Amino acid sequence: MSPVQPAPPALPASATPFRTRLNRAVRRWRGERTAYGLEPFATTLRALERTDLRALADAELLARARALRGPTPDETAVFALVREAARRALGLEAHACQLAAGLAMVRGRVAELPTGEGKTLAAVFTAVWHGLSGRGVHVLTFNDYLARRDAAWMGPVYRLLGVTVGCVQEGQSAAEKRAAYAADVTYGTAKEVGFDFLRDGIALDADPCVHRPFHAVIVDEADSVLVDEARVPLVLAGVDEGGGPDVRRVVELTRGMQRGVDFETDAEQRNVFLTDAGARQLESALGCASLYDGTNQGLLEAAHCALHAHALLHRDVDYLVRDGRIQVIDEFTGRIMEKRHWPDGIQAALEAKEGMDRRTRGRVLGSITLQHFLRLYPHLAGMTATAQAAAEELQAFYRVDVHVLPPHTPSHRTDQPDAVFTHQAAKRRALLDEIGRVHATGRPILVGTLSVAESEDLAAALQAAGVRCAVLNARNDQEEAAVIAEAGALGAVTISTNMAGRGTDIRLGGSDERERAAVVALGGLYVLGTNRHESVRVDRQLRGRAGRQGDPGSTRFFIALDDDLFRRYGLTDAVFARHGLQRRDGEVDHGGLRADVEHAQRVIEGQCFDIRHDLFRYSNVVEQQRRLVRARREAVQRGDPEARAWEAAEPQLYARAVARWGAARAARVERNAHLLALDRAWAEHLCWVTDTRETVHLVSLSGQTPVVEFRRWCTEAFARRMEQMDQDLTGALAGVLAREDAALDELEHARGPSSTWTYLVNDDPFQSGFELLKGGALGFSAIAAGVYGPLLLAWLVVRRWWGGKRGGKPA
C-alpha cells in the first residue's frame, strides 16, 4: 500500500478547547479517526480538485488508467480518473465525503459514512486503486443480491478504465467462479468467498480450485461482518451416515417437561439444563441407569438438545418453517440466514419438534471463523454507517482504525427521547395510538420490530384499527425491494423486522418521489422502534432510515420494562425497585429509566465483546494448526520432495509401485492417499477440538486456566495426530500394492463435500464452570462424561444452588 501522506499542519493546541482535545484523544486511543474538516486528506483532495479530465476522450481516459497499472498506483491520479468515469458512465458526481472514504479505505481503515452518502460509489475508488495493482480486490457485500446489484451498477465505471469486474454467486460452477476471482475486482459475500476458500482446501489438485492468492478486501457493512458475524464459523461438511439416538423419541419425552420442575434455564434464557427430577424422568422412560454414565453420552446430548429446542428456540422468532425446512432468522438483520444451521444436535431436535424428517447428518471437513478468514487478507478495509461504536473492537481484532466522516449534507433528523412504559400492554396501546395519530396526517411511518411474530401481530392490530400497512419480514423477504420502495410514500405505514435496518434506502414520496414535497412538509419519515436491541449499532441502523441525505425525519423508541432486553438479563425487577415504580397505564417520564436502558446496552455489548474475544483466544491455536495443514496440503499438491511420504519411508515398495503402474500413476496414488489421510486426520482433530472445548472448563475447578490448558492439550493432540497420520499413511500405501487396480479408483477420484452450512459459537470467559449446552458445540465427549460424571453431577447441583449464569444462544 502507498505510504500515508503527511497531513496539513494542525491547529495549535491552544486554539482547540481542552474538552474537545480530550475527547479526540480518547477516540484515537480507542482506534477511531475523525475526518471532520477532512484534515487527514486535505492535501490529496486539493490536488484532485485541480485535476480536470473532462476534455479527454474515452480512449484517452482508458490509456491513462492503463499507464497507472503497477504495485502502488498514484492515489490522486486514480481517484481523478474514477471520478470522471463515474460522471460519464453513471451521471454521478462524487462528493468530498465519498472521496475521503475511498482514501481512508486505500489506507486500510474502516470508513463510517452516514446513511445515504453513497458507500457503493465510494468503494469503487478503493477497488480501482487495488485493481490496477494486478493482484485483485474482493468487495464483500451483505448478501448475494447486493453483490450482484453493485457489480452490475458500477460495472460501466470499471470497464471505462479497463478494470475487469466479476461477481461470485452461490450455485455457480467452478469455472464461473474461477473467472470471477481472476477479475481485477470481485464482488461477493464473505460467506460464499469463505466457503470457496474451504473447498479449495480439500481439493486433490489445482483444477477444482477457484481462488488466487488473497490481496485486498473491502467489507461493506463492516461492523456487521467484522463484529457481529465474527464468531460465525464457516463449516464445510460431507455426508456422514453414522447412527445415533432416536432424536424424535427424546424430543417427544421432553415436550411435556415443565420449566422449574424438570429443567431450568439460566438468567438470560440462553442455556438449559436438567434438574434431578427431570433426569430421573428421562432415565425411567429411556430405560437407562444414569444419563451421566459415559455409555449414555449420546442420550444426554440428545436430551439437552431437545430441551434447548423446546424451551429456548421459538418459531417465528428464532426460526421459520418454510418449504419444508428450518430457516434461521438473523437477530441483527431480521433476514433469513442462508445455509445457516444450528449444530447437528439442535438442528435434528428442531426438525423433530416441527414434525419434519431428519436431514442427512454431516461430518465436518473444514472450518474457519469469519474473523480468521478476513484476517488472511494482507489489506483489509471497510465501510458502514455504524462503525464508531465498534472502533475499539475493530482495532483489537483487525488492527484497523475507524475513520468517521461528516455527512455531505447536514442531518435534519430528530431523535426523540424513548417512551418508557411499565408493561407490554401499556406500550402496545400507546404505540397504536401514536401510529394512528401520525398516520392521520399522511406522514409515512416505518415501525421496526424484533421478530416475525411481533411484526405480524402488530400489523393485525393496526388492520383491526383501520390502518392499512405493509409488512416486511423474513417470511416475505422476496418482496423487500417493492415494500421499501414505497415506504416513504404519503400515508404509508410499514411494519418491519430489522430487515429495514441495513442496505435499504427509503426515498421520501415513494419510488418516483412525486409526493416528496408533501412528505417533506409533514416532517419526513417517522421511524418507530418497538424494542431496544442488545446492540446499540442495530438501533442506530434503524434510526438511520430517517433523515437520508439531509432529508427531514424523526425517530423514537417505545420500550417496556418487561421487554425481552430487560427480562433476559434479569433487569425488570431491579429497575422497578430502584425507581420505586408501580404498574401504570401511561408513559413513565423518567430520565433515569432511559439512562438504565443505555447502561444495559453498554453492559450487554461489553459481554458480547468478551464472548468474541474469548472465542478468538480459543480458536487462534486451531487457526494456526489449520494453516500448517493447509501448507502441507499445498506442498503435497505441488509434489515437493519433502512431502512424498511413501517414497521416503518405503523406497523399495515405492519402486515396486512404479514398476507396476508407472511413475505418473504411482505418484498420483501417493499424492491422493496423502491428501485424503491429511483431510481425515484434520476432520478428526476438529471433532476432538469440539468435544474438548466443551469439557475444558472443568479444569477451573482445580484452579487452572481453561484457555491455557486448551491450548496445551490442542497442541499436544495435533502433534500426536499428525505423527499417527504419517504412520497410518505409510502402512496404507504399503497395502495398496496388494489390491487390484480397479480398487485404486477411490484414490484417484475422491468425493468432495456434499453440503456446506454455518453455525454460531458463543464462548463466555466469565462462566463459572462446565456448560451442558452452548450455542456452538454441543454435548459431552465420552471421556468427559465417563471420567467426570460424578464430579459433573455434583457440579450441576452446585449450579442449581448458585443460580443462573451467562451463556450463548444460537442466532
Side-chain angles (χ1 to χ4, degrees):
M1 298 179 64
S2 66
V4 178
Q5 300 294 325
L11 291 173
S14 59
T16 306
F18 173 75
R19 185 173 180 178
T20 300
R21 297 200 309 272
L22 179 61
N23 289 338
R24 185 181 301 166
V26 171
R27 288 196 302 266
R28 289 180 65 86
W29 175 73
R30 292 182 57 200
E32 175 188 329
R33 301 291 186 269
T34 60
Y36 291 105
L38 307 178
E39 300 98 327
F41 304 130
T43 302
T44 302
L45 289 170
R46 283 195 294 267
L48 185 58
E49 288 298 326
R50 293 194 296 267
T51 305
D52 190 359
L53 303 172
R54 298 195 177 193
L56 297 180
D58 287 356
E60 294 175 295
L61 207 66
L62 175 60
R64 289 204 179 188
R66 287 175 174 169
L68 290 172
R69 282 193 174 269
T72 53
D74 179 78
E75 292 171 350
T76 303
V78 170
F79 275 49
L81 288 172
V82 175
R83 187 179 62 169
E84 176 60 19
R87 187 188 66 80
R88 294 188 189 190
L90 305 175
L92 297 177
E93 292 284 352
H95 51 70
C97 181
Q98 291 170 312
L99 294 168
L103 282 166
M105 289 187 286
V106 162
R107 298 171 189 188
R109 300 178 186 175
V110 171
E112 179 177 301
L113 290 83
T115 301
E117 292 294 329
K119 294 192 294 292
T120 303
L121 179 57
V124 175
F125 288 89
T126 311
V128 170
W129 186 84
H130 279 297
L132 290 175
S133 72
R135 289 168 290 181
V137 57
H138 294 167
V139 183
L140 303 183
T141 62
F142 203 62
N143 55 46
D144 275 346
Y145 163 73
L146 290 176
R148 191 166 59 249
R149 183 203 69 178
D150 292 354
W153 183 15
M154 297 293 120
V157 179
Y158 293 118
R159 288 190 288 272
L160 195 56
L161 299 176
V163 175
T164 57
V165 60
C167 180
V168 171
Q169 299 277 283
E170 180 186 344
Q172 288 178 329
S173 67
E176 290 172 323
K177 287 187 173 182
R178 195 177 302 111
Y181 286 121
D184 295 321
V185 180
T186 304
Y187 283 83
T189 66
K191 295 184 183 67
E192 192 61 26
V193 174
F195 279 137
D196 288 336
F197 172 77
L198 289 176
R199 293 185 189 103
D200 284 356
I202 62 169
L204 294 186
D205 52 53
D207 290 341
C209 296
V210 297
H211 275 295
R212 58 173 169 168
F214 289 169
H215 171 59
V217 62
I218 303 168
V219 183
D220 192 11
E221 301 295 354
D223 60 320
S224 177
V225 176
L226 298 176
V227 176
D228 298 331
E229 297 280 325
R231 55 189 175 167
V232 179
L234 303 174
V235 178
L236 193 68
V239 174
D240 181 6
E241 301 294 349
D246 186 346
V247 176
R248 190 174 297 277
R249 183 187 178 202
V250 176
V251 168
E252 290 302 319
L253 291 174
T254 58
R255 195 184 295 273
M257 286 188 162
Q258 299 179 13
R259 189 191 308 267
V261 178
D262 302 307
F263 67 89
E264 294 180 356
T265 60
D266 61 6
E268 292 83 17
Q269 300 291 297
R270 292 189 171 188
N271 295 282
V272 62
F273 47 94
L274 285 165
T275 63
D276 293 341
R280 287 194 297 269
Q281 178 180 331
L282 282 178
E283 288 165 355
S284 175
L286 294 171
C288 62
S290 172
L291 281 174
Y292 300 103
D293 185 88
T295 59
N296 294 322
Q297 178 255 334
L299 285 174
L300 181 61
E301 176 184 340
H304 281 281
C305 290
L307 280 174
H308 194 104
H310 166 65
L312 302 183
L313 298 179
H314 306 289
R315 185 168 177 168
D316 294 341
V317 176
D318 300 293
Y319 65 93
L320 288 178
V321 176
R322 188 166 65 179
D323 300 328
R325 296 188 297 120
I326 299 289
Q327 297 184 320
V328 184
I329 299 174
D330 189 334
E331 66 174 307
F332 293 102
T333 67
R335 290 181 168 87
I336 291 297
M337 295 189 287
E338 296 296 335
K339 291 183 173 287
R340 179 71 57 83
H341 287 202
W342 275 277
D344 262 350
I346 286 187
Q347 188 73 21
L350 275 176
E351 290 167 352
K353 171 186 173 181
E354 298 296 342
M356 302 164 61
D357 292 334
R358 185 176 185 183
R359 293 175 175 266
T360 305
R361 294 170 59 92
R363 175 183 175 84
V364 175
L365 303 178
S367 176
I368 186 172
T369 64
L370 280 175
Q371 190 177 69
H372 284 298
F373 171 68
L374 292 168
R375 284 163 56 95
L376 296 176
Y377 289 88
H379 304 290
L380 170 65
M383 54 187 181
T384 182
T386 51
Q388 188 174 355
E392 182 178 1
E393 190 161 349
L394 292 170
Q395 172 59 226
F397 286 127
Y398 302 99
R399 298 293 185 264
V400 296
D401 295 330
V402 170
H403 193 99
V404 183
L405 292 150
H408 175 58
T409 305
S411 173
H412 293 95
R413 189 186 76 211
T414 301
D415 296 329
Q416 302 176 23
D418 293 347
V420 184
F421 301 87
T422 58
H423 57 287
Q424 293 280 336
K427 180 182 78 169
R428 171 58 67 87
R429 286 193 295 269
L431 182 63
L432 291 173
D433 290 344
E434 179 74 353
I435 294 173
R437 180 187 67 80
V438 175
H439 176 62
T441 70
R443 186 180 182 186
I445 303 170
L446 172 68
V447 185
T449 63
L450 277 186
S451 68
V452 173
E454 184 187 3
S455 66
E456 294 177 345
D457 182 52
L458 179 59
L462 287 172
Q463 297 281 8
V467 177
R468 294 183 59 187
C469 60
V471 179
L472 175 61
N473 58 37
R475 201 187 304 280
N476 65 337
D477 52 0
Q478 68 278 5
E479 302 171 13
E480 178 177 1
V483 173
I484 289 298
E486 301 304 326
L490 198 65
V493 177
T494 307
I495 312 298
S496 176
T497 57
N498 288 331
M499 286 179 67
R502 286 188 188 270
T504 56
D505 197 6
I506 298 176
R507 298 178 180 274
L508 299 188
S511 57
D512 55 7
E513 299 187 89
R514 283 183 299 179
E515 300 168 328
R516 176 180 170 78
V519 173
V520 168
L522 291 169
L525 183 67
Y526 186 25
V527 173
L528 292 171
T530 64
N531 297 268
R532 283 285 197 161
H533 196 274
E534 289 185 359
S535 170
V536 69
R537 288 179 292 105
V538 175
D539 291 343
R540 284 186 60 195
Q541 286 284 350
L542 180 61
R543 289 190 191 276
R545 299 313 99 198
R548 166 187 167 271
Q549 290 187 350
D551 288 342
S554 58
T555 70
R556 194 178 194 190
F557 281 83
F558 280 61
I559 61 176
L561 297 181
D562 58 353
D563 281 343
D564 182 67
L565 179 71
F566 289 89
R567 288 187 291 103
R568 178 179 293 181
Y569 292 91
L571 300 175
T572 299
D573 293 340
V575 172
F576 266 82
R578 177 178 176 182
H579 298 283
L581 296 175
Q582 298 294 327
R583 185 182 175 94
R584 66 176 74 173
D585 291 334
E587 179 182 350
V588 182
D589 189 9
H590 194 308
L593 287 176
R594 301 186 185 99
D596 282 345
V597 173
E598 295 174 357
H599 176 71
Q601 283 185 309
R602 288 195 298 271
V603 171
I604 294 167
E605 286 194 323
Q607 291 179 358
C608 293
F609 173 85
D610 292 329
I611 287 171
R612 290 187 288 268
H613 182 261
D614 197 47
L615 171 62
F616 181 80
R617 295 169 67 200
Y618 279 98
S619 64
N620 198 41
V621 63
V622 183
E623 170 60 13
Q624 294 171 2
Q625 292 168 350
R626 187 201 61 77
R627 295 190 182 196
L628 291 174
V629 171
R630 183 94 177 197
R632 181 165 176 174
R633 289 191 94 263
E634 291 172 352
V636 173
Q637 286 178 322
R638 291 191 303 265
D640 292 355
E642 62 273 15
R644 296 174 182 170
W646 192 12
E647 186 177 358
E650 300 287 346
Q652 294 181 343
L653 288 176
Y654 185 75
R656 288 173 52 194
V658 171
R660 181 174 177 181
W661 302 317
R665 191 178 189 194
R668 186 164 60 250
V669 168
E670 178 191 23
R671 183 197 63 183
N672 289 1
H674 197 161
L675 293 174
L676 290 171
L678 190 60
D679 291 343
R680 188 181 306 111
W682 178 238
E684 291 170 352
H685 183 65
L686 289 177
C687 182
W688 177 91
V689 166
T690 298
D691 287 335
T692 303
R693 179 65 188 89
E694 277 297 308
T695 62
V696 70
H697 294 295
L698 286 172
V699 303
S700 62
L701 299 177
S702 62
Q704 296 172 294
T705 304
V707 68
V708 173
E709 293 304 303
F710 175 81
R711 288 175 173 174
R712 181 173 64 83
W713 295 351
C714 202
T715 300
E716 294 172 351
F718 180 76
R720 289 194 302 268
R721 195 171 300 277
M722 290 297 103
E723 182 179 353
Q724 184 63 47
M725 187 213 71
D726 288 335
Q727 296 174 1
D728 293 344
L729 175 61
T730 302
L733 286 171
V736 167
L737 286 171
R739 304 171 66 180
E740 296 294 332
D741 287 358
L744 299 176
D745 288 344
E746 64 188 69
L747 292 177
E748 297 187 86
H749 304 92
R751 292 179 60 188
S754 61
S755 61
T756 56
W757 66 85
T758 65
Y759 57 80
L760 295 185
V761 176
N762 286 14
D763 290 304
D764 187 348
F766 302 117
Q767 61 196 6
S768 303
F770 179 75
E771 282 200 87
L772 280 178
L773 183 64
K774 295 197 68 78
L778 305 171
F780 302 128
S781 67
I783 295 176
V787 176
Y788 295 112
L791 175 62
L792 182 60
L793 188 57
W795 177 243
L796 291 175
V797 175
V798 171
R799 281 185 59 194
R800 289 185 57 201
W801 170 77
W802 201 347
K805 61 172 186 56
R806 301 198 304 273
K809 171 189 173 184

